[in-house]
Amino acid sequence: MKADKIIIIDFGSQYTKLIARKVRECRVYSEVVSCLSDLSLIQKDKSLKGIILSGSPDSVYVKNTSTTAKQILALNLPILGICYGLHFLSHHFNGKVKGGKTREFGKTNIRIKSKSPILKDIPAKLSVWMSHGDYIDNLPKEFKITSRSENGLISSFESAGDNIYAVQFHPEVNHTEYGTKILKNFLFNVCKIRNKWQMGSFIDEKVAEIRAKVGNQRVLCALSGGVDSAVAAYLVHKAIGKNLICYHIDNGLMRKNESADIVKYFSSRMNLKYIDATNIFLKRLDGVVEPEKKRKIIGKTFIDVFQKYAKSIGNVKFLVQGTLYPDVIESSSFHGPSVTIKTHHNVGGLPKSLHMKLIEPFRELFKDEVREIGKILGVPAPILERHPFPGPGLAVRILGAITKDKLELLREADYIYIDSLKRHKLYNRIWQAFAVLLPVSTVGVMGDSRTYERVIALRAVGSVDGMTANWFHMPPGALEEISTGITNKVKGINRVVYDISNKPPSTIEWE
């Protein structure tokens, strides 16, 4: 039986896919639809049970939203507006939305004022995550206020008879208390979801989709050895078997023993080709300091090396990549308002000269969802447990120009760090950990001699999806052991520091 479905209307918020992710955690299938889409095309979808309206960097009073609102209401389904979605609904029904002198950002306390289906079994007072400058100055007559913030602003309202609900805060963000419960109340009490979505269903759908798209043609898979590309390879291999050709490009920017381990593991399980392109990558990166320039050079070089390899094996029309949603949202501007944070070499398509089409089965998923798929497919734990590793590799963990000597310093330090985390049984408690080589030298003392050597920064964060992250509170004993191990064993390093920055305001990677 086909799973019931929720659509999320995206108005440009970078939290939009977090809504989708939270809905999926509730085992409800969700799809994100642009606010610019023709919603009449989905009107006959019987599996569609409800609509969620996302946030946005826009204000409702500066652009005409009436056409979109009419299309949404014409679907005649339960609606939950979040942040901008609340303003959108109020504005459409002739409420008054204003730019506020009192703005609410971050944790805010709210108090429930009246009973509501979406606030069922929620305490009268709770802490939520706000992110808005506009506010509801005058509510439409047919709506009732269900909660207010500690600042006296409307934080939720509803028209239960019309199945319309809205919240000013973000229930999809982990900082909101009972946020998942509020979403579940909407999904199961209001939308009456019955046929839940399972990850196994996603696998079956993707396998069928890939088979139908590819037929008997051969497919290339860019296999870095990380979680995303490994699980993508397993999924596509399940779909087309020996017609999948995996290739691993060693760019000289991998961690210690990494390429050798990838070849050793995957060559016994599927058709894997190894390409040593170290020299060309390092030559092109020689003297390059600026992070974005590094990323672009590495991305172009990957394409160049791949293009040469693809031509050598003949007519191949498809390429598999393990692109995830955080890669996409941080690399592209969605119809204007959202902001590009960084570029990724595996996002944005391929040169037309390749005449290849991308297969990105996980483009709409988060890391933990991919790991769940990997478990179902039987991908071994050592692969699934690997921390995320950036496409540009160690190039963005060496601040400044890349040299072979710096790469060796960083590889050794990083290896000692990760090995210690595993021995202390900390590795699987951390979402991502790595070492960074800083472009500074400091004075030290080793034995009876003064030294003037490099500094290593250690980074470890806890996260769910990489969109936000908190620094990991490393046990002092483990931290001391790691620091001593690096300074004793890696000649050229005499100082180790620990990064205690969260995301935001910092990013997880340093470049």
Side-chain angles (χ1 to χ4, degrees):
M1 184 179 292
K2 191 174 182 181
D4 290 339
K5 179 168 66 178
I6 294 290
I7 60 166
I8 296 120
I9 308 296
D10 184 12
F11 290 99
S13 170
Q14 290 195 13
Y15 286 149
T16 297
K17 284 291 178 69
L18 290 181
I19 303 172
R21 186 182 169 282
K22 283 292 184 183
V23 170
R24 290 180 197 159
E25 282 182 359
C26 300
R27 296 302 179 192
V28 175
Y29 184 69
S30 62
E31 289 182 0
V32 175
V33 178
S34 167
C35 63
L36 304 179
S37 300
D38 182 358
L39 300 180
S40 65
L41 299 176
I42 59 175
Q43 203 155 20
K44 295 181 180 179
D45 189 346
K46 300 299 182 184
S47 65
L48 188 56
K49 303 298 180 183
I51 303 166
I52 297 177
L53 311 182
S54 83
S56 173
D58 285 338
S59 294
V60 292
Y61 45 77
V62 297
K63 62 168 58 177
N64 188 343
T65 61
S66 60
T67 300
T68 305
K70 288 175 182 177
Q71 284 196 337
I72 291 169
L73 293 169
L75 294 174
N76 196 29
L77 292 167
I79 298 172
L80 172 63
I82 295 176
C83 196
Y84 174 90
L86 171 137
H87 303 153
F88 179 89
L89 291 167
S90 177
H91 183 70
H92 178 72
F93 288 101
N94 298 316
K96 194 168 186 180
V97 180
K98 292 177 107 178
K101 293 182 180 179
T102 301
R103 300 181 299 172
E104 295 175 321
F105 294 96
K107 287 188 176 181
T108 306
N109 292 324
I110 68 168
R111 185 172 292 277
I112 295 174
K113 295 297 183 181
S114 62
K115 290 183 178 180
S116 167
I118 67 167
L119 299 175
K120 185 180 179 183
D121 299 325
I122 303 295
K125 185 178 179 182
L126 65 153
S127 176
V128 301
W129 188 259
M130 294 283 196
S131 183
H132 68 101
D134 293 344
Y135 72 102
I136 306 295
D137 184 51
N138 188 24
L139 198 64
K141 293 180 181 178
E142 55 265 48
F143 292 92
K144 74 170 183 177
I145 298 169
T146 53
S147 71
R148 284 188 182 273
S149 74
E150 59 191 353
N151 298 309
L153 302 181
I154 295 171
S155 54
S156 64
F157 65 68
E158 68 179 46
S159 176
D162 297 314
N163 265 340
I164 296 175
Y165 304 84
V167 293
Q168 181 65 81
F169 53 90
H170 289 271
E172 73 276 17
V173 174
N174 288 333
H175 300 299
T176 293
E177 292 179 328
Y178 303 95
T180 300
K181 175 62 178 172
I182 291 168
L183 288 174
K184 284 184 174 179
N185 282 341
F186 176 70
L187 297 171
F188 301 116
N189 296 344
V190 176
C191 298
K192 308 297 183 185
I193 297 290
R194 295 292 177 265
N195 300 321
K196 293 187 178 181
W197 179 64
Q198 302 296 332
M199 201 60 81
S201 302
F202 174 88
I203 294 172
D204 293 340
E205 290 168 7
K206 284 296 175 183
V207 166
E209 179 185 307
I210 292 166
R211 283 175 181 163
K213 185 174 185 177
V214 170
N216 292 321
Q217 298 182 81
R218 291 182 298 173
V219 176
L220 288 180
C221 177
L223 184 61
S224 70
V227 174
D228 313 329
S229 64
V231 178
Y234 264 73
L235 180 67
V236 178
H237 188 266
K238 179 180 176 68
I240 63 173
K242 63 182 181 181
N243 282 343
L244 174 68
I245 303 170
C246 296
Y247 69 95
H248 172 68
I249 296 176
D250 183 354
N251 58 6
L253 305 168
M254 307 295 283
R255 290 169 287 199
K256 185 176 179 179
N257 300 329
E258 194 160 29
S259 287
D261 288 343
I262 290 167
V263 171
K264 180 180 177 181
Y265 180 80
F266 285 97
S267 59
S268 64
R269 289 166 170 80
M270 54 190 72
N271 186 4
L272 175 67
K273 309 295 183 183
Y274 170 73
I275 304 169
D276 186 355
T278 299
N279 290 337
I280 186 173
F281 275 91
L282 296 188
K283 183 178 180 180
R284 291 186 180 184
L285 287 168
D286 186 32
V288 178
V289 173
E290 206 276 318
E292 275 299 288
K293 192 172 181 181
K294 288 180 186 177
R295 290 178 181 273
K296 289 174 181 176
I297 288 171
I298 292 167
K300 183 180 185 306
T301 306
F302 264 112
I303 295 297
D304 291 346
V305 172
F306 163 73
Q307 191 165 15
K308 183 178 178 180
Y309 173 69
K311 287 180 179 178
S312 73
I313 63 172
N315 185 28
V316 180
K317 295 183 178 179
F318 297 94
L319 173 68
V320 177
Q321 288 187 163
T323 310
L324 299 189
Y325 175 68
D327 297 335
V328 176
I329 194 63
E330 291 191 343
S331 302
S332 61
S333 179
F334 180 77
H335 69 76
S338 60
V339 178
T340 298
I341 297 170
K342 60 185 176 183
T343 57
H344 292 257
H345 70 269
N346 62 331
V347 176
L350 297 169
K352 292 180 180 179
S353 61
L354 281 175
H355 304 294
M356 298 185 76
K357 296 178 180 178
L358 278 175
I359 296 175
E360 297 175 303
F362 306 143
R363 191 177 174 89
E364 299 297 312
L365 300 185
F366 291 86
K367 180 76 71 174
D368 59 326
E369 293 176 314
V370 173
R371 284 195 170 105
E372 186 177 349
I373 289 170
K375 287 179 183 178
I376 296 171
L377 290 172
V379 179
I383 299 296
L384 290 181
E385 292 170 358
R386 289 184 64 186
H387 289 178
F389 188 60
L394 299 182
V396 290
R397 293 178 180 175
I398 294 175
L399 275 59
I402 310 297
T403 67
K404 287 185 177 180
D405 289 342
K406 290 179 184 177
L407 284 165
E408 287 308 310
L409 281 180
L410 182 55
R411 282 194 186 99
E412 289 300 322
D414 188 78
Y415 182 82
I416 292 168
Y417 180 28
I418 299 303
D419 184 62
S420 295
L421 291 179
K422 290 178 178 177
R423 284 190 289 102
H424 283 271
K425 301 188 184 306
L426 295 170
Y427 185 79
N428 288 339
R429 292 171 53 192
I430 297 168
W431 195 77
Q432 188 174 8
F434 55 91
V436 181
L437 184 65
L438 302 186
V440 294
S441 297
T442 65
V443 175
V445 178
M446 291 187 174
D448 295 323
S449 302
R450 285 168 61 85
T451 61
Y452 193 64
E453 296 178 338
R454 306 300 293 268
V455 180
I456 283 287
L458 304 179
R459 181 77 156 138
V461 298
S463 184
V464 175
D465 45 47
M467 300 294 283
T468 60
N470 294 322
W471 67 275
F472 181 75
H473 290 247
M474 190 77 69
L479 201 55
E480 182 178 12
E481 180 187 300
I482 293 163
S483 175
T484 302
I486 291 173
T487 53
N488 282 352
K489 297 176 182 178
V490 185
K491 188 175 181 180
I493 303 294
N494 70 357
R495 191 177 299 272
V496 176
V497 298
Y498 190 59
D499 182 350
I500 58 169
S501 307
N502 293 331
K503 178 186 179 181
S506 303
T507 54
I508 297 175
E509 297 285 346
W510 277 48
E511 286 193 343

